[in-house]
Amino acid sequence: MTQPQQRIYQAWKGDNRFFFGGRLIFGPDVKSLGVSVILIVVPVAFLCVFVARHLRHRFRAYDAGYAILIMAVVYTIYVLLLLFVTAGRDPGIVPRASHPPEEDIHYDDLSHDTPIRLQFPRVKEVIVNGMPVKVKYCETCMVYRPPRCSHCSICNNCVERFDHHCPWVGQCIGKRNYRYFFLFVSSSTVLCIYVFAISALYIKFLMDGDYPTVWKALKHSPASLALMIYCFICIWFVGGLTGFHTYLISTNQTTYENFRYRSDGRPNVYDQGCLSNFQEVVFAKIQPSKHKFRAHIQEEVQAPPANDAGEVEDELVGGPRAKVGDDLDIDGDLLKISQWQHNHGDIDIEMGGGNAN
């Protein structure tokens, strides 16, 4: 009986966690998502049970008190949806290569008596908005990272427009989920302000009634006091994040770029002006994922046999034509070189251009 063909998510080389048959992709620290849900749901539940229900009949318009309760529940659901959309989608993972880029490789000192040596630049330059930008080679993914891309050590993937890995979301924040992350953070700030304001309003109603002092009102409703303290602390956190990311969007930066390059004094080649930056980050169409996680893995096409002499010739970038004596073509040769380097350590791969992360 033939074995069922594997799907891409089942043989995934990153450290991500997949759910619902590969339909949702999370980071390896997806359990922290539960903590974030608790931090959102529990305060709103306390608000509904101990505060908002007492305000149902406090307004002349009978429905206004119920509107406070309904608004808290609906807006909380909206915030949770933003959280799950941010955490459960591909953040912009760059597909891996099966071998190093052939066009940038040249062989050095090839003979049967010396180990194979491969040389290719670790850093290349590309032009972005008329300015040169350095892109780096990722040894794990075996690709030159696109501009603004970085390899996340937690998820073990290269992510386009990498911003940061958020432990509260349990996912990388990148090109395809940054918009939802920003909406989640800013909406959480509004939710904190709402809970704080409703709790303070209830204290005000108590002071206008049978509890004329602040102390007596707070003593009568300790839940309101706890919620105001909790929201005051959270506003500093999520409100600060909202302000920081608003600044990043207005200048078209990422968190990674801001912390890493702010002291270098290099010009920001991505800044197109405040309005254009917001248009690009917040309103532009999100590109589809470069991965079909539920697709079946396709077997690699076998390379044609070597010539009669058992040698393969290839035009090498940056050097003369060289012969590799073997019964493999260039693709099979590169694949085995990559495997031998990891398994036996008998191949020396030299990276030009200096060290870079």
Side-chain angles (χ1 to χ4, degrees):
M1 181 181 294
T2 60
Q3 295 293 331
Q5 195 173 5
Q6 262 192 329
R7 298 182 185 270
I8 290 177
Y9 79 91
Q10 294 172 324
W12 188 250
K13 294 183 179 180
D15 295 332
N16 301 88
R17 301 279 301 278
F18 292 89
F19 295 90
F20 299 105
R23 292 177 176 85
L24 298 179
I25 175 174
F26 294 87
D29 49 347
V30 62
K31 292 182 179 180
S32 63
L33 191 64
V35 178
S36 299
V37 171
I38 292 173
L39 292 175
I40 295 171
V41 172
V42 171
V44 175
F46 268 73
L47 177 75
C48 295
V49 173
F50 298 106
V51 177
R53 71 184 183 91
H54 297 299
L55 298 174
R56 290 175 297 174
H57 309 296
R58 291 279 185 170
F59 298 90
R60 292 180 180 178
Y62 184 77
D63 295 335
Y66 286 93
I68 291 175
L69 190 62
I70 295 172
M71 179 65 71
V73 174
V74 172
Y75 198 76
T76 301
I77 294 174
Y78 168 70
V79 172
L80 291 176
L81 286 175
L82 289 174
L83 173 62
F84 282 107
V85 170
T86 304
R89 67 186 289 130
D90 173 11
I93 299 173
V94 177
R96 299 185 183 217
S98 58
H99 53 69
E102 300 173 16
E103 66 274 11
D104 294 296
I105 292 179
H106 68 275
Y107 295 88
D108 185 27
D109 297 332
L110 284 177
S111 72
H112 293 290
D113 301 327
T114 59
I116 300 173
R117 300 170 64 86
L118 301 180
Q119 289 185 332
F120 54 95
R122 186 183 180 92
V123 179
K124 296 199 305 185
E125 278 194 355
V126 297
I127 302 301
V128 177
N129 295 329
M131 298 285 291
V133 174
K134 291 182 178 180
V135 294
K136 303 173 184 177
Y137 178 77
C138 178
E139 298 179 17
T140 302
C141 301
M142 291 190 286
V143 296
Y144 283 99
R145 302 168 187 161
R148 315 191 84 176
C149 174
S150 184
H151 190 91
C152 176
S153 59
I154 299 175
C155 292
N156 195 26
N157 296 309
C158 279
V159 178
E160 289 189 276
R161 203 185 185 278
F162 177 77
D163 191 87
H164 68 289
H165 184 95
C166 181
W168 300 102
V169 174
Q171 178 66 287
C172 284
I173 306 302
K175 185 176 183 177
R176 298 191 67 253
N177 64 351
Y178 180 80
R179 176 185 305 174
Y180 300 106
F181 171 77
F182 177 72
L183 290 174
F184 163 68
V185 172
S186 56
S187 299
S188 298
T189 303
V190 174
L191 181 61
C192 286
I193 295 174
Y194 181 81
V195 173
F196 183 94
I198 297 302
S199 300
L201 179 64
Y202 181 51
I203 295 298
K204 173 68 168 55
F205 279 133
L206 290 178
M207 292 177 63
D208 292 340
D210 300 331
Y211 307 93
T213 65
V214 175
W215 171 249
K216 290 182 178 180
L218 293 176
K219 188 176 180 181
H220 178 76
S221 179
S224 297
L225 175 62
L227 287 173
M228 286 191 292
I229 294 175
Y230 176 81
C231 291
F232 180 79
I233 296 173
C234 290
I235 287 172
W236 282 99
F237 177 67
V238 293
L241 279 178
T242 301
F244 176 64
H245 282 280
T246 301
Y247 161 73
L248 292 180
I249 293 175
S250 66
T251 56
N252 207 334
Q253 298 182 70
T254 65
T255 302
Y256 180 82
E257 292 167 348
N258 181 266
F259 279 86
R260 180 163 186 144
Y261 303 127
R262 61 184 172 183
S263 60
D264 292 354
R266 65 177 65 183
N268 183 3
V269 301
Y270 308 103
D271 188 1
Q272 302 296 313
C274 184
L275 292 179
S276 297
N277 293 337
F278 268 94
Q279 169 67 27
E280 176 185 334
V281 176
V282 180
F283 300 107
K285 182 180 179 180
I286 298 177
Q287 297 180 359
S289 173
K290 295 181 178 180
H291 299 274
K292 296 184 182 299
F293 298 109
R294 289 180 48 77
H296 292 287
I297 297 176
Q298 300 295 327
E299 294 184 1
E300 293 186 4
V301 178
Q302 295 296 324
N307 57 24
D308 295 337
E311 296 179 344
V312 177
E313 259 190 345
D314 184 41
E315 184 67 33
L316 302 173
V317 177
R321 296 177 66 89
K323 291 183 179 181
V324 182
D326 206 341
D327 62 350
L328 302 173
D329 69 346
I330 185 63
D331 290 331
D333 181 43
L334 288 170
L335 182 58
K336 284 198 171 185
I337 285 171
S338 177
Q339 293 172 345
W340 290 343
Q341 193 270 337
H342 289 291
N343 296 334
H344 304 289
D346 56 351
I347 297 172
D348 184 14
I349 298 180
E350 291 190 0
M351 312 288 280
N355 296 327
N357 295 326

